[in-house]
Amino acid sequence: MAPRRRSVHHQNRNPWGWVVVVATFVALFITFGNLKALGVLLLAMQNDFNSDVWIIGWMAVLYNSISFLFGPFVTSIDSLVSSRRCVVIVGGVLGSAGFIIGSQSTTVLQLTLSIAILSGLGKALSYYPFFGVLASYFSENYSVAVAIASSGIPISMIVYGPLTQILLDTYGWRGTMLILGGISSHIIVCGELLKAPAVASPTDTGEQYQQVPDDAAGGSDISKEGYDIPSSKSHQGKCLTINGNIQRFLTSMDFKILANKRFIFLSAAMSCVNFCFSGWVVYMVSHGVFQGLSPYQASLLPTSFGIGYILGKFMEPLLDRTRLKLSTCTWMYLGCVIMFASYLTEAFMIFFPVQMLVTWFIGTGLGIVTQSRDVLVRFLTSVDRIVAVLSWQSLLGGLCAMGSGLLTGLIYEWTGSFQGALIMYSGIMLISILLFFIYDKITKREQDQR
C-alpha cells in the first residue's frame, strides 16, 4: 500500500507556532499590499502607456487572479516537495522579480507578463503553504491564530494606500514598482521561518480538534475519504515513467475534494464574495477620484477599509468568548448582509466622510465573512489537506476575479462611472447569501443523519 501523506502533529503549546503566525502576517501584508499598490498606481500607468483604464485595471486584477488559478498547481507541489520552506522562498524570489522587471516595461503586454504571470505565480507559491503549516500548529487556538495572521491583509490596505501615493508623488510609478519589488523580497525571510512541527510517531494516530459551533464541525468529513499518493521516497532508485510522474502529479492535486457538496456550495458562495472584492479593491481609489475626491482623500479609502476589515476579523473570535456567541453561519449571513447594503449605498455617495464610513462597513463585512470561512475550512477536512481545500476554492475565486476586473472596467468605459458595478456587486452578494443558506441546510441535514 502506498505511504500516506505527510503526517501532522498539533502542537498548540509550541512557541514556534506564533513565529509562523508572524511570518504569515508579514507575507500576507506584502502580497495583498502589492495588490492595493497596483490600484493606486492605476491612473499613473494608464497615462504613461496612453491606455484605457479597464486594461490597466484588469492587469492588476490578473495579478490576484493568476495567484488563485495556480492554486491546484501549488497543491501538487506542496504534496510532492518535502520542504514548504523552499516553496515559499521560490515564491518570494518570483514575486520580487516580477515587480522589478515590471518597473522597466515599455508596453502594457510586458507589464502584464511580469506582474500577472511572474509575480502572480510568486504570490501563489508564498500564500498557500503558510496556512498548511499554521493549521499543523494550532487546533485549540486556531481561530485566534488565523485572525492574527490574516489581519496582515487589512493592515496592508491601511498602510499601502497612503504609502504608495507618497512614493508615487516622489519617485513616479516606475520607481515605486522598484521599491515594491524590494519590499517583496522580504517574503524570502518569512519562508526561512516556516518550520513545520515534529511529525507524529507511527503509533500516534489521534488528532485533536478544537470544539467549534455545530455548523462548523458537523457534516461529513472530507478527510474520511481515501486519499493516498505515492511518496517520493518510494520511487528512489527507480526510473519513473512519464505516465507515472503525471499520475503522481494529478493524484496530489486532490480532485476528490470537488465531490463534496459542502465544499461546492461554500466555495461557490465565497467565489461571489471574491468577485465583488477583487473588482472593488482595485478600483476603490479610482472610484473615489471619479466621485470628486482629491487623490489624497481617495488614497485614504483603503485605510478605512482596512480598519473595518480588522474589526470584522476579530469580532467573531472575541465575541465567541462572551455570552453573545453566534454560530459560524450566522456570522456569514451577517457579513454578507453588511456588504450587500454597503455596496449599494457606496454607488450613490459623493461626500468624503460618508464614503469613508461606507468603505469601513465593506471592510467589516468582508472581515466577518473571511474569518468565518477560515474556521469552516479548517474543520471541513483534515489538516494535511487544508492546502488543497484552499487552493481549489481560490481557483474558483480566481476565475470570478478575472471576470470581475474585466466587467468592472468595461462598465466604467460604457457608463463613465463605477455606480453600475457597485449595484452589480450588491446583487451578487444576495446570491452569496442564498448559497450560504444551501450550505447551512446541507450541513444540518448531514448532522441529523449522523
Side-chain angles (χ1 to χ4, degrees), residues 232-247:
S232 58
K233 293 182 179 179
S234 65
H235 297 279
Q236 291 179 354
K238 298 181 180 180
C239 182
L240 297 178
T241 63
I242 295 179
N243 290 336
N245 281 319
I246 294 176
Q247 182 180 4

Side-chain angles (χ1 to χ4, degrees), residues 16-323:
W16 195 261
W18 295 106
V19 176
V20 175
V21 170
V22 174
T24 306
F25 172 92
V26 174
L28 295 180
F29 175 85
I30 293 174
T31 54
F32 282 88
N34 287 338
L35 176 62
K36 182 65 259 168
L38 290 173
V40 176
L41 299 175
L42 191 152
L43 295 180
M45 291 188 290
Q46 178 226 349
N47 293 330
D48 190 22
F49 289 111
N50 194 25
S51 179
D52 294 328
V53 172
W54 72 269
I55 295 178
I56 304 298
W58 199 38
M59 179 274 300
V61 172
L62 282 177
Y63 162 72
N64 197 41
S65 302
I66 292 296
S67 68
F68 290 157
L69 296 178
F70 276 120
F73 172 75
V74 175
T75 298
S76 184
I77 294 177
D78 179 76
S79 299
L80 298 175
V81 176
S82 60
S83 175
R84 282 172 171 161
R85 178 183 299 175
C86 294
V87 176
V88 174
I89 290 175
V90 172
V93 172
L94 292 177
S96 177
F99 275 88
I100 293 174
I101 296 173
S103 68
Q104 307 302 316
S105 59
T106 57
T107 65
V108 175
L109 178 59
Q110 292 176 359
L111 182 64
T112 302
L113 291 177
S114 60
I115 298 298
I117 304 300
L118 200 57
S119 292
L121 176 58
K123 181 175 180 289
L125 292 173
S126 55
Y127 176 77
Y128 302 102
F130 279 104
F131 288 94
V133 176
L134 194 64
S136 66
Y137 274 102
F138 296 95
S139 60
E140 295 177 0
N141 298 313
Y142 180 77
S143 61
V144 176
V146 76
I148 295 174
S150 57
S151 64
I153 299 175
I155 292 179
S156 71
M157 301 294 174
I158 297 174
V159 175
Y160 266 74
L163 176 62
T164 305
Q165 187 64 50
I166 293 173
L167 293 175
L168 176 62
D169 295 338
T170 306
Y171 302 106
W173 75 266
R174 294 185 184 274
T176 302
M177 290 274 285
L178 199 61
I179 295 174
L180 292 175
I183 296 175
S184 298
S185 65
H186 288 79
I187 294 178
I188 299 173
V189 180
C190 297
E192 286 288 348
L193 299 174
L194 200 62
K195 181 178 67 174
V199 298
S201 63
T203 58
D204 183 14
T205 57
E207 191 170 18
Q208 298 177 348
Y209 286 95
Q210 166 189 8
Q211 184 178 359
V212 294
D214 290 338
D215 58 329
S220 60
D221 190 349
I222 302 177
S223 63
K224 295 177 181 177
E225 303 168 4
Y227 178 63
D228 293 331
I229 65 171
S231 172
S232 58
K233 293 182 179 179
S234 65
H235 297 279
Q236 291 179 354
K238 298 181 180 180
C239 182
L240 297 178
T241 63
I242 295 179
N243 290 336
N245 281 319
I246 294 176
Q247 182 180 4
R248 290 178 62 226
F249 184 82
L250 293 177
T251 304
S252 63
M253 293 178 72
D254 202 357
F255 287 98
K256 290 183 179 180
I257 287 177
L258 302 179
N260 184 275
K261 293 180 181 179
R262 294 169 65 207
F263 170 82
I264 291 173
F265 283 100
L266 179 61
S267 300
M270 286 307 303
S271 294
C272 292
V273 175
N274 289 333
F275 180 94
C276 301
F277 167 71
S278 297
W280 171 245
V281 73
V282 171
Y283 293 104
M284 184 192 311
V285 174
S286 299
H287 169 70
V289 172
F290 290 127
Q291 288 291 89
L293 303 184
S294 67
Y296 176 74
Q297 288 177 325
S299 70
L300 293 177
L301 292 177
T303 301
S304 179
F305 174 85
I307 294 173
Y309 198 135
I310 295 173
L311 176 64
K313 269 289 183 182
F314 285 94
M315 191 177 295
E316 180 178 354
L318 291 179
L319 291 183
D320 277 351
R321 289 164 170 75
T322 68
R323 295 182 179 181

